Amino acid sequence: MIFIIKNIMWTANVTINNNTDYNLTIDGVGPGNTTINATSTTQWSSQEVHNTKSLLFWVEPNVYYMQGNLSFGPEAGVYIDRGWMADNDQTISMTINANGKEWTQNSNGGESLLAWNEFSAGGDITVSFNKLGVSPW
């Protein structure tokens, strides 16, 4: 009896554009953990099956202005949540494009952008955070 094992390579290519006035710490399971300054970009690739990233926006270290989440993988699809902001402070917009499907978040609440079977082969994820106005804080 002969068994043939085929190695299927799964890869996600992630780009995060931080066009806000806040530093952004990306931390969690899978590669890509980093901190970028305001108005900066970071990129990474992952072949990990499970990727969950906290998206932590701050000016003063460990005092978070907004905390979001990005989860993706061949078994999970793609889920994004910009992070909670007070109703009178919806000053950051987030747009995600995952394999050509786009969604913009301007208010509280997340989105399961792609189901597991829509991301099972991997692909490209681009997330852009943009400032909408002046924060009342």
Side-chain angles (χ1 to χ4, degrees), residues 3 6-7 18 22 43 45 54 56-57 94-95 113 118 129 135:
F3 292 97
K6 184 176 181 182
N7 185 8
N18 179 20
Y22 300 91
Q43 296 178 314
S45 293
S54 294
L56 308 168
F57 292 83
M94 183 275 311
T95 298
L113 189 65
E118 295 175 297
F129 294 93
S135 173

Coordinates of all heavy atoms in Angstrom, one line a residue, residues 3 6-7 18 22 43 45 54 56-57 94-95 113 118 129 135:
F3 N 0.9 5.4 0.3 CA 0.2 6.6 0.6 C 0.9 7.8 0.1 O 2.2 8.0 0.2 CB 0.1 6.8 2.2 CG -0.7 5.8 2.8 CD1 -0.2 4.6 3.4 CD2 -2.1 5.9 2.9 CE1 -0.9 3.7 4.0 CE2 -2.9 5.0 3.5 CZ -2.3 3.8 4.0
K6 N 0.0 15.0 0.2 CA 0.2 16.2 -0.5 C 0.2 17.4 0.5 O -0.7 17.5 1.3 CB -1.0 16.4 -1.5 CG -0.8 17.6 -2.4 CD -1.9 17.7 -3.4 CE -1.8 18.9 -4.3 NZ -2.8 19.0 -5.3
N7 N 1.2 18.1 0.4 CA 1.4 19.3 1.3 C 0.7 20.5 0.6 O 1.2 21.0 -0.4 CB 2.9 19.6 1.5 CG 3.1 20.7 2.5 OD1 2.1 21.2 3.1 ND2 4.3 21.2 2.7
N18 N -2.5 52.3 9.0 CA -2.9 53.0 10.2 C -2.8 54.5 9.8 O -1.8 55.2 10.0 CB -2.0 52.7 11.4 CG -2.4 53.5 12.6 OD1 -3.5 54.0 12.7 ND2 -1.5 53.6 13.6
Y22 N -3.1 57.7 16.2 CA -2.8 56.8 17.3 C -1.7 55.8 16.9 O -1.7 55.4 15.7 CB -4.0 56.1 17.8 CG -5.1 57.0 18.3 CD1 -6.0 57.5 17.4 CD2 -5.1 57.5 19.6 CE1 -7.0 58.4 17.8 CE2 -6.0 58.4 20.0 CZ -7.0 58.8 19.2 OH -7.9 59.7 19.6
Q43 N 3.1 45.0 7.1 CA 2.7 43.8 6.3 C 3.3 42.5 6.8 O 4.4 42.6 7.3 CB 3.1 44.0 4.8 CG 2.5 45.1 4.1 CD 3.0 45.3 2.7 OE1 4.2 45.2 2.4 NE2 2.1 45.5 1.7
S45 N 3.0 37.9 6.3 CA 2.3 36.7 5.7 C 2.2 35.6 6.8 O 3.1 35.6 7.7 CB 3.1 36.1 4.5 OG 3.1 37.0 3.4
S54 N -5.3 41.1 18.3 CA -5.9 42.3 18.9 C -5.3 43.5 18.3 O -4.1 43.6 17.9 CB -5.5 42.3 20.4 OG -6.1 41.3 21.1
L56 N -4.8 47.3 19.0 CA -4.8 48.2 20.2 C -4.3 49.6 19.8 O -3.1 49.7 19.5 CB -3.9 47.6 21.3 CG -4.3 46.1 21.6 CD1 -3.2 45.5 22.5 CD2 -5.6 46.0 22.3
F57 N -5.1 50.6 19.8 CA -4.8 52.0 19.5 C -4.5 52.8 20.7 O -5.3 52.7 21.7 CB -6.0 52.6 18.7 CG -6.2 52.0 17.3 CD1 -6.9 50.8 17.2 CD2 -5.6 52.6 16.2 CE1 -7.1 50.3 15.9 CE2 -5.8 52.0 15.0 CZ -6.5 50.9 14.8
M94 N -13.0 52.1 9.5 CA -12.1 51.0 9.1 C -12.7 50.4 7.9 O -13.9 50.1 7.8 CB -12.1 49.9 10.3 CG -11.2 48.7 10.0 SD -12.0 47.4 9.1 CE -13.5 47.1 9.9
T95 N -11.9 50.1 6.9 CA -12.3 49.4 5.7 C -11.4 48.2 5.5 O -10.2 48.3 5.6 CB -12.1 50.4 4.4 OG1 -13.0 51.5 4.6 CG2 -12.5 49.6 3.2
L113 N -16.6 38.7 7.5 CA -16.6 39.1 6.1 C -16.5 37.9 5.1 O -17.2 37.9 4.1 CB -15.3 40.0 5.9 CG -15.2 40.6 4.5 CD1 -16.3 41.6 4.3 CD2 -13.9 41.3 4.4
E118 N -14.7 30.4 2.1 CA -14.4 31.5 1.2 C -12.9 32.0 1.4 O -12.4 32.8 0.6 CB -15.3 32.7 1.4 CG -16.7 32.5 1.0 CD -17.6 33.6 1.4 OE1 -17.7 34.0 2.6 OE2 -18.2 34.2 0.5
F129 N -7.4 51.9 8.6 CA -8.0 52.7 9.6 C -7.8 54.1 9.3 O -6.6 54.6 9.0 CB -7.4 52.4 11.0 CG -7.7 51.0 11.4 CD1 -6.8 49.9 11.2 CD2 -8.9 50.6 12.1 CE1 -7.0 48.6 11.6 CE2 -9.1 49.3 12.5 CZ -8.2 48.3 12.3
S135 N -11.3 64.1 17.5 CA -11.8 63.4 18.7 C -12.2 64.5 19.7 O -11.5 65.5 19.9 CB -10.7 62.5 19.3 OG -11.2 62.0 20.5

